Structure formats: C-alpha cells, structure tokens
Amino acid sequence: MDIAVIGSNMVDLITYTNQMPKAGETLEAPDFAIGCGGKGANQAVAAAKMGGSVMMVSKVGDDLFAPNTVENLKQQGVDTQFVTTAPGTSSGVAPIFVDDQSQNRILIIKGANQQLKPADIDAAAEALKACQLIILQLEIPLETVYYAIDFARQHDIKVILNPAPAVGNLDIDYACKCDFFMPNETELEILTGMPVGTDDEVIRAGQMLLKRGLKNLIITLGARGSLWMAGDTLHQVAPTSVKAVDTSGAGDAFIGCFAHVLVKTSDIPTAMAQASAYAACSVTGRGTQRSYPDADTFQRFLNVN
C-alpha cells in the first residue's frame, strides 16, 4: 500500500431541507439518503478513487450497518484487512442536515470508532511499515492518534494530521511531529482562539501555530481556496468555481486527493491545486463518498473547468 488511513468510518444519515427547524418545531423535509462516510473512510475512498493504493485501520460495530460499511470500502478499492469489529458496540453514525444553500450541519456519534486502540496499530504494523504516508483525523481516541504519530516517526513514514473535529486539548507538540497539519478555517479558529474571517487573520493564526514548530500547515478555506504555510513559504491556491449542491465531505475529498498526488509527485503546490479542484468537483454532487469522482471523471471535470 502507498497510503494508510488510521481513522473513522461513519454511516451518514443525510436530510435535505429547505429550512432548519427551530426548537420544538417539526418540519417536513423534501429528501433523505443513507451513505457511507466518516472522515477517515472518506479520505481513504477519495485517495483510492484517484488511483491510490490505500489500506485502512478502523473499527465497525456489530450491527446491521457494519457489513455494508466494509463492503463499500472494498468496492471503492480500499484494503479492509484491518477494519475489525468492536463487539457490543454500535457503528459510528453521522446525522447530516443540508440546507437549500448547500451548507451542512453535522452531528457525530462515534460508536465503534472510540474502540480503535493502539493495539490495532500494532496488529497492522507490518503492513503499515510498507506505506509511504499515514493519514490521521480526530474521530478516534487521541491516545491512538498520538501512538500512530510515534509509530510513523519510528519507521520514517510521512504523516498528515487533519485535526477534525477540532478539540481544544490537542497536543500541539504531537502535531509538530507530523509532516502536514491540515485544518479548515473553523478548526484553525478553535485551535488558536484567533479570528479567521479574512485572509490576513488566517495568516496570523497560522503563524501562531508555525511558531510552535509545525513543519507544513495547509489550511482549507472552502470557497476561498487553500493556503500552505511553511517557514517563509506562503502559497495560496484559488478555488475552482462551481455551483455547489452539497458541501458535505469536501474537506475529506481535498485531503484524500492531496495525499494521492503528494505520494506520486512529492510536489506540494501541484497536490494542492489538484486537491482543490477535486473538492470542487465533489460538491457538485450529493453526499460524501458517492460524490467523489474517479480519476477518469475527475479528468473530464478538469478539461471543462
């Protein structure tokens, strides 16, 4: 495998609504869908759809959602040898609400993802050692994230840490051990306590983290593109303009595509540009993983945008 994703999987329960209900209010919504998601699984699927050789270390529950989750990963080209069952536990679930402006609100119930432990990394150690890159997020226990970072350092494997969902007690010293730290603007605000409403404010918040010792900070800014900061380097990638239908999972699409291109080229600006376009393509369809294009579909998108 080129890429290992150590992280979460979720079952997405997606409601499309014209209006968000107020407290105590019941409204009828026009549409609903069930999909496979979770930040870890999304990133693994995006990288695999782009042609990457991807394995995943993850936990599913022992419920009716689990077999579908594993089968979906296999169908998307992700190696599932180390996706195992947590007995007596539900699978992770993510109710998602998408409004008529294509903005989403998400709740997550971690379920079996909470049971992904350092022992699971040890069980997959030989396969992980053969990978060039490990991707991590924060929908699994922090002790497992930190253990994975130390494992990667020990075996000279590059690491992307996506601090999502952001937690105030994240150890920035561990983040500094990673090769890439990739928050979105909201996560950057939570982690620094600084405003991020303008590009200048984003840069100031980023500089605060760089002073702590981060190697490469890549901030995804939604419709404002993305920004790479490293030492004196400041490189911004403009967004690809599209009509968004559903922005769910766009950040994960970015990271999965970025990881694949980085492994193939070792070129950060090229990986960012490709990832930005890939994320834009993903928001033109509904859902998370099902909206991610394969390599051929993505190439056709690039040819007309």
Side-chain angles (χ1 to χ4, degrees), residues 190-203:
I190 292 170
L191 291 166
T192 63
M194 298 174 68
V196 295
T198 67
D199 288 350
D200 286 344
E201 288 176 342
V202 167
I203 291 169

Side-chain angles (χ1 to χ4, degrees), residues 176-240:
C176 292
K177 295 181 181 182
C178 300
D179 298 272
F180 296 90
F181 190 65
M182 298 180 66
N184 65 21
E185 56 193 317
T186 301
E187 291 148 5
L188 180 66
E189 182 176 27
I190 292 170
L191 291 166
T192 63
M194 298 174 68
V196 295
T198 67
D199 288 350
D200 286 344
E201 288 176 342
V202 167
I203 291 169
R204 283 194 289 272
Q207 287 170 337
M208 174 186 171
L209 290 179
L210 289 178
K211 288 176 182 177
R212 295 287 302 272
L214 288 181
K215 298 181 181 70
N216 293 284
L217 174 63
I218 296 179
I219 307 159
T220 55
L221 301 168
R224 290 154 56 197
S226 58
L227 179 68
W228 170 34
M229 301 176 67
D232 294 330
T233 298
L234 189 66
H235 178 79
Q236 189 153 11
V237 172
T240 301

Side-chain angles (χ1 to χ4, degrees), residues 118-191:
D120 295 296
I121 296 173
D122 290 337
E126 292 308 310
L128 290 171
K129 289 175 188 177
C131 294
Q132 298 182 50
L133 177 68
I134 290 175
I135 307 175
L136 297 161
Q137 326 77 33
L138 302 183
E139 288 180 336
I140 59 174
L142 279 176
E143 66 165 331
T144 307
V145 172
Y146 297 156
Y147 191 87
I149 293 170
D150 285 336
F151 178 93
R153 290 272 298 207
Q154 181 182 353
H155 298 288
D156 196 27
I157 306 166
K158 286 184 169 59
V159 178
I160 291 174
L161 176 57
N162 170 219
V167 291
N169 62 336
L170 177 67
D171 188 339
I172 296 298
D173 289 337
Y174 263 97
C176 292
K177 295 181 181 182
C178 300
D179 298 272
F180 296 90
F181 190 65
M182 298 180 66
N184 65 21
E185 56 193 317
T186 301
E187 291 148 5
L188 180 66
E189 182 176 27
I190 292 170
L191 291 166

Side-chain angles (χ1 to χ4, degrees), residues 57-71:
V57 180
S58 191
K59 285 284 187 186
V60 294
D62 61 354
D63 54 19
L64 58 86
F65 291 128
N68 183 64
T69 296
V70 175
E71 182 59 28

